Amino acid sequence: PPLPPSLPAASGLAEMGAHWIHGPSPENPVFCLASRYGLLGPEAAREENQQVEAGSRSPMPSVTYGSSGKVLSPKAVREARDFFYALLASTRTFQASKKPPCPSVGQYLQAEIARTVPQEDARQLQMAMFATCLKLECCISGTHSMDLVALEPFGEYVSLPGLDCTFPRGYSSLTERLLSDLPEGTVLLNKAVRTIRWQGSFREQWDDARVFPIWVECEDGDVFLADHVIVTVPLGFLKEHHQEFFQPPLPERKAQAIHHLGFGTTNKIFLEFEQPFWEPQQQLLEVVWEDESALGVPSPDLKATWFKKLIGFVVLQPPEQHGHVLCGFIAGKEAEYMETLSDAEVLRAMTRVLRTMTGNPSLPAPRSVLRSRWHSAPYTRGSYSYVAVGSSGEDIDVLAQPLPEDPRDPRVRIQAQGTQGQTDRGGDRPLREHREVAPLPLVGEVTNAQVTCTISVTLVDMRLLPTASQHPHGTGWVPREVY
């Protein structure tokens, strides 16, 4: 249905970060905020859509291409996928197990596949489909390999109900609405923080009577004094910089939790076409390399094979808003290697993949390419956190506890991605009970003479496609960063 007049769509929008609200239901705080502010279309607001048990992989009309250049049998694809996700669901039985059968999710799945699936030539397509499903799980978990994701705590995540939905005006419409409720000047952008000194007695030059326990120093030399600080920078940044970022350094338990938890990269590759080669009803183009197997060893030659980690392409909808654009997803070391390539190299590789999959060597190349680079970004260094082999849900709890560990004096609260219910693992939430601590004041709020400073990295990143009149020579996407 058309969008209501109050919800104008953002034309030519490409979400470089978050794309959907997964699990849009009353239990999802992002969905509740978006609904309260009237930021969603009419379909998302329908109660029946909020009750659909879609899991973390919402169904959408799709076509599955094989590397032989043919569309694969929908029946064979469905049967292989159903088998794989039945195995994946069985990983929940090991939650809180003292002795899980394998350290990692990947090892368990591979062992079960080897045990239950006959190794015959006729099963090659099934094994290739399993390999594709594993790549999708890598994108969802933000990991290079499911061999890195711990088996026992994997069952701590449950998927919220609801059909995935998007913001017609982009994810930033939510942050813009939240910002509008704050006093002007409360949020400072492009203000990188160098150090947080969290155990001291600091005074303003013009007010010797007031003592603050926290000193926040920015890279440009500016200093902010506060009673509390909330740190929401990604775990990837903390892994590289926590030793110098916090002074004194974090307690050993927190440092070890940062070290043990996993953090990886999932990237997007947008391809813009003059005309679509896909059918209007198709919303997902899956890619299967038919010579691969879930039991095989991936090639270490990233230069030659990085593009094979791509799981496929989502068709951006509706075309009246986005144009003819595909969004590919890729995770792990291959996603990081992709960041080192030029736009021209990525475009050539994607053109080869699509020509191979469609069996059409004359398929027109995309007119332009745009991709995310979350691993290269200095304040993110990746995309998602996960509970890695060697870590546990207890590490999440340790990292989430305030400093000092006294609920009456929570000076520092680390709420990095991964310490709370995550919205990026398909609308999942951890089935963990965190100890309650005294709530901190809102961002920039002065309550009973208490000042809270929030340090964050804005991960809402949108790019806009110029119109043809702006770039008559068709030079492709010139990104305009909103945040």
Side-chain angles (χ1 to χ4, degrees), residues 96-129:
S97 172
K98 298 294 184 182
K99 292 185 178 180
C102 301
S104 74
V105 174
Q107 289 170 304
Y108 169 76
L109 293 174
Q110 290 169 330
E112 287 300 295
I113 290 171
R115 183 179 67 84
T116 57
V117 179
Q119 304 303 300
E120 304 168 356
D121 290 342
R123 299 285 182 173
Q124 179 56 43
L125 176 58
Q126 191 176 23
M127 299 302 288
M129 273 300 305

Side-chain angles (χ1 to χ4, degrees), residues 135-319:
K135 295 174 189 176
L136 173 58
E137 289 305 307
C138 287
C139 281
I140 293 173
S141 289
T143 182
H144 173 62
S145 167
M146 294 305 290
D147 291 349
L148 304 175
V149 180
L151 175 60
E152 181 271 324
F154 193 68
E156 292 183 357
Y157 290 88
V158 296
S159 296
L160 298 176
L163 290 176
D164 293 352
C165 63
T166 60
F167 290 87
R169 288 180 292 170
Y171 241 101
S172 69
S173 61
L174 177 59
T175 57
E176 289 167 358
R177 180 61 180 79
L178 292 171
L179 285 172
S180 69
D181 288 338
L182 299 175
E184 186 176 353
T186 297
V187 177
L188 301 179
L189 301 179
N190 299 312
K191 202 74 173 175
V193 171
R194 177 185 292 124
T195 305
I196 302 170
R197 303 183 188 277
W198 59 279
Q199 281 187 354
S201 298
F202 308 106
R203 290 177 169 84
E204 300 275 13
Q205 291 181 347
W206 55 86
D207 185 4
D208 288 342
R210 180 67 193 277
V211 177
F212 294 91
I214 294 171
W215 166 298
V216 177
E217 182 180 351
C218 299
E219 291 184 357
D220 63 5
D222 284 354
V223 171
F224 297 87
L225 303 185
D227 296 288
H228 311 282
V229 61
I230 303 172
V231 182
T232 67
V233 297
L235 183 63
F237 175 85
L238 292 179
K239 279 180 172 290
E240 292 189 355
H241 300 289
H242 73 85
Q243 289 181 316
E244 67 269 18
F245 196 61
F246 295 95
Q247 294 297 326
L250 294 174
E252 184 62 20
R253 291 178 68 227
K254 283 193 183 293
Q256 286 300 312
I258 291 172
H259 174 72
H260 290 149
L261 288 169
F263 195 77
T265 302
T266 296
N267 273 322
K268 294 180 177 181
I269 304 174
F270 295 92
L271 303 175
E272 182 200 18
F273 291 82
E274 294 285 357
Q275 296 295 328
F277 63 85
W278 54 91
E279 298 298 324
Q281 74 276 9
Q282 292 170 351
Q283 298 180 30
L284 174 64
L285 314 182
E286 294 182 298
V287 171
V288 176
W289 296 92
E290 295 170 80
D291 58 345
E292 291 187 339
S293 168
L295 304 182
V297 178
S299 171
D301 187 356
L302 294 180
K303 181 178 181 180
T305 63
W306 70 269
F307 50 85
K308 289 189 173 184
K309 194 68 170 287
L310 191 81
I311 62 168
F313 300 89
V314 169
V315 180
L316 296 194
Q317 299 283 352

Side-chain angles (χ1 to χ4, degrees), residues 65-71 353-363:
Y65 290 102
S67 53
S68 61
K70 300 177 182 178
V71 174
V353 167
L354 290 172
R355 288 175 175 173
T356 298
M357 294 295 162
T358 60
N360 180 4
S362 301
L363 185 76

